[in-house]
Amino acid sequence: MLGIEPVTTFELAYKGFIIGIIASAPTGPIGILGIQRTLKNGPKYGVVTGVGAVISDVIYSLITALGMSFVMDFMTNRTNIFWMEIIGSAMLFIFGLYMFRSNPNKYFLPKAEKLSKGNNYLHHFFTALFLTLSNPLIIFLFIALFARFAFIVPDQPIPQVIGFITMTCGAALWWVVLTYGVNKIRKTFNVRYVRILNVTVGGIVIIASLLGFMFTLMGKL
């Protein structure tokens, strides 16, 4: 556990990879923007959009990690860790439920279409970067993920850095899969596919949060 039992590099690496995928999976405005750009200009432009979003997510994840590292004395207590994991599971459940029930139609707006215009990579990169940075609520998602996975271990800097690297890789992989997947079905693509994606990812997050809640309680007993 965090601050009590040493965490292996492999453990932080796979946790970081999972966190990166979960943090990037929601198909909100930035996800829809990436899809629109893929359909209009090709998968490379969707990937560049994803890179901008990933860098923004990394910035917010580092801010979150820095804040959490300042309360390590609080988090090294077993009882406090237990409640942090319970709260993290609850927050992930709410996030998964929101994804499961979200309606992607509201994001297919003229504003998103305007942002998708332009055929140079820098334009696509910076619009995605600043659009994602304009939503600081992502910090709450990282708080939930870091608490649920006991991801912050400042007394082990090298494994922690590797964890952030794999987190970035997981987020980038998600964008590559999303954009090239959309490109493969571009002729038949419609908003129904986004709805299916939201339901699938939301359902997985809900199940994962319930399993995390159960395992935390079992570890306490």
Side-chain angles (χ1 to χ4, degrees):
M1 299 296 288
L2 182 59
I4 296 177
E5 300 174 2
V7 181
T8 66
T9 301
F10 176 75
E11 186 177 351
L12 277 183
Y14 82 75
K15 285 181 177 180
F17 191 78
I18 293 172
I19 289 172
I21 292 176
I22 294 177
S24 295
T27 49
I30 191 63
I32 299 301
L33 182 61
I35 291 173
Q36 287 179 325
R37 287 174 170 176
T38 298
L39 294 174
K40 182 179 180 181
N41 301 315
K44 291 182 180 179
Y45 289 90
V47 170
V48 171
T49 299
V51 171
V54 168
I55 291 178
S56 176
D57 286 345
V58 170
I59 292 172
Y60 275 129
S61 71
L62 292 174
I63 293 173
T64 305
L66 181 62
M68 294 181 74
S69 67
F70 283 126
V71 293
M72 288 308 298
D73 288 340
F74 170 82
M75 296 176 65
T76 52
N77 180 279
R78 286 187 179 274
T79 300
N80 293 339
I81 293 173
F82 169 79
W83 286 111
M84 284 289 290
E85 292 184 348
I86 289 292
I87 294 172
S89 295
M91 292 175 68
L92 279 182
F93 178 84
I94 294 172
F95 170 72
L97 188 63
Y98 172 79
M99 277 197 65
F100 189 87
R101 299 185 61 184
S102 65
N103 177 15
N105 285 291
K106 64 182 180 180
Y107 297 124
F108 282 93
L109 299 173
K111 179 181 178 182
E113 179 62 25
K114 289 179 182 179
L115 284 171
S116 68
K117 293 180 179 179
N119 285 320
N120 67 81
Y121 290 124
L122 285 178
H123 168 81
H124 287 69
F125 170 80
F126 281 110
T127 52
L129 174 67
F130 291 119
L131 180 62
T132 310
L133 282 174
S134 69
N135 180 26
L137 293 178
I138 190 68
I139 287 177
F140 291 101
L141 174 58
F142 280 117
I143 290 174
L145 290 168
F146 289 172
R148 173 58 262 161
F149 289 98
F151 184 69
I152 305 302
V153 285
D155 56 330
Q156 296 178 249
I158 294 179
Q160 186 72 84
V161 169
I162 292 175
F164 276 104
I165 291 174
T166 59
M167 183 184 73
T168 305
C169 292
L173 177 63
W174 169 262
W175 274 96
V176 170
V177 172
L178 175 66
T179 53
Y180 279 88
V182 168
N183 188 61
K184 286 289 185 181
I185 58 173
R186 62 185 306 132
K187 292 183 179 179
T188 60
F189 184 86
N190 56 55
V191 71
R192 181 172 61 90
Y193 287 103
V194 182
R195 174 60 180 158
I196 293 173
L197 181 63
N198 280 350
V199 169
T200 302
V201 176
I204 292 173
V205 172
I206 289 173
I207 293 172
S209 67
L210 292 175
L211 289 174
F213 184 82
M214 181 182 67
F215 289 146
T216 301
L217 288 179
M218 290 174 60
K220 185 69 173 177
L221 296 178

